[in-house]
Amino acid sequence: MALQRLAALLVVLVVAGCGGSTPEKSLAVGAGSDAPTTLLAHLYAAALRSYGSAAHVERGADPLAELDTGAVEVVPGLTGRLLTRFDPDATARAPEQVYRSMISALPEGIGAGDYTQSAEDKPALVVTEATAQKWGARDVATVVRHCPGLTVGKVPGDPAPAVIATCRPPAATEFPTAAALVAALRSSRVTAAWTSTAVPETPDDVVVLSDKTSVIRAENVVPLYRRNELDERQVLALNEIAGELDTGSLADMLGKVASGSDPGAVADDWLSAHPLGH
C-alpha cells in the first residue's frame, strides 16, 4: 500500500512538472522590403520589448494584408500612404487631418497608435540655391507660380506627387541614382527634384523647399495594430515612440542603415539613448 501511495505521488509530481506556465507569445511586427519600414518595425519591436513584451520583426511582401489576416500583430507605416491605401479618394493633407481620416478608413478590428508629430518622411522638392533666389521663395507653394515650364526629376522607387496644389507638373524624369539626379539639377536639366524629408544627407548647394501650408500630404510615422491582441501596456509602448522620435533622428538612423548597419542594432541603440517611460 505504501508503494502504491509513493507511485501515485510520483505521478502527481511528474504531471505538475510538465504543466509549467505557457511561454508568452512573441508579437510579430510586420516589415516590408524597404529600409524605412524595416527600421520602423525594429523600432516598435524594441519599444514593446522595453515594456516587457516579447516581440520580433517579420518580413513580408504585404505587411498590411498580413495584419488583416492576423499573421502579424503590429505594422508601422506613414499616415499619408496608409490613408491612400484605405481611402484612395481622401483629400486630407495636413498632419492631424490625415491621421483622423486614416483612422476613419481603417478596416474593422485594426487600431492606430499615436502618430509622431515631429517625425515625418514625406515627399519634398529640392531646387538649386540659384533657383530659390530667382523665385524669391523657399516654400513649395511657390511652385504654383512657376508651374509652366517646370521640369522635375526623381530616382526610381521614390514617390512623386502628381499634383502640387494647383500645379500639375509633367511626369518626373527618372535618374538611376541620387548623384545623377543632383547632377541633372545642377546642370539645369531639371528645375526641381523629388526627395524626402527624412533623406539622411542633402548637398549644401541645394534647397529643400518647406511646406508650411501642407501642399503635399503629410506622412507621419504611425503604428497599426490588431485591437483584440494587444493589451493597454503594449499599446502604451507603441505610443511612447510618438513622444521621442523626430525627423532628424529618423534620417540619422536611415543613414546608418544605408551605410550597412543592421536595422535592429540601429533601433536598439536609438532606444538606449531615448529610454521610454521617462
Side-chain angles (χ1 to χ4, degrees):
M1 195 69 177
L3 288 175
Q4 289 178 340
R5 285 198 297 269
L6 178 60
L9 178 60
L10 288 174
V11 169
V12 170
L13 291 175
V14 169
V15 170
C18 294
S21 59
T22 303
E24 179 189 3
K25 175 185 177 181
S26 178
L27 295 172
V29 183
S33 59
D34 59 300
T37 60
T38 300
L39 172 66
L40 290 173
H42 279 284
L43 201 58
Y44 281 108
L48 287 164
R49 291 193 295 268
S50 76
Y51 265 64
S53 295
H56 67 282
V57 173
E58 192 142 330
R59 301 283 289 272
D62 189 348
L64 290 174
E66 293 167 356
L67 181 68
D68 189 49
T69 62
V72 300
E73 287 79 33
V74 179
V75 169
L78 299 171
T79 53
R81 296 185 190 181
L82 291 170
L83 177 57
T84 300
R85 169 77 174 251
F86 297 121
D87 185 3
D89 298 324
T91 58
R93 295 199 309 265
E96 182 70 18
Q97 294 173 340
V98 171
Y99 177 65
R100 291 187 179 278
S101 297
M102 181 206 73
I103 290 177
S104 298
L106 289 177
E108 185 177 355
I110 304 299
D114 294 343
Y115 76 97
T116 56
Q117 298 184 33
S118 299
E120 63 174 14
D121 186 15
K122 77 173 188 175
L125 273 182
V126 298
V127 297
T128 62
E129 180 66 39
T131 297
Q133 291 184 9
K134 178 182 177 182
W135 287 357
R138 293 170 179 257
D139 191 89
V140 70
T142 194
V143 169
V144 174
R145 294 189 290 112
H146 303 279
C147 192
L150 183 71
T151 55
V152 183
K154 67 180 290 267
V155 174
D158 284 355
V163 178
I164 307 169
T166 58
C167 173
R168 189 176 292 274
T173 301
E174 292 194 344
F175 294 87
T177 64
L181 177 58
V182 171
L185 187 66
R186 287 169 174 158
S187 64
S188 300
R189 289 178 59 194
V190 294
T191 314
W194 285 110
T195 184
S196 164
T197 52
V199 163
E201 294 183 5
T202 303
D204 294 335
D205 60 339
V206 303
V207 176
V208 180
L209 299 178
S210 60
D211 186 12
K212 297 177 182 177
T213 56
S214 297
V215 169
I216 298 171
R217 175 172 284 176
E219 297 285 1
N220 296 84
V221 177
V222 67
L224 301 186
Y225 60 90
R226 293 184 63 81
R227 287 186 180 278
N228 298 327
E229 299 189 32
L230 268 66
D231 60 32
E232 291 184 6
R233 185 170 178 81
Q234 290 165 338
V235 174
L236 177 60
L238 300 179
N239 288 341
E240 286 280 349
I241 295 293
E244 295 290 337
L245 186 63
D246 57 33
T247 304
S249 295
L250 180 59
D252 180 63
M253 287 188 284
L254 287 173
K256 292 177 180 177
V257 172
S259 298
S261 296
D262 177 71
V266 171
D268 287 339
D269 288 346
W270 182 84
L271 208 63
S272 295
H274 301 80
L276 304 182
H278 298 279

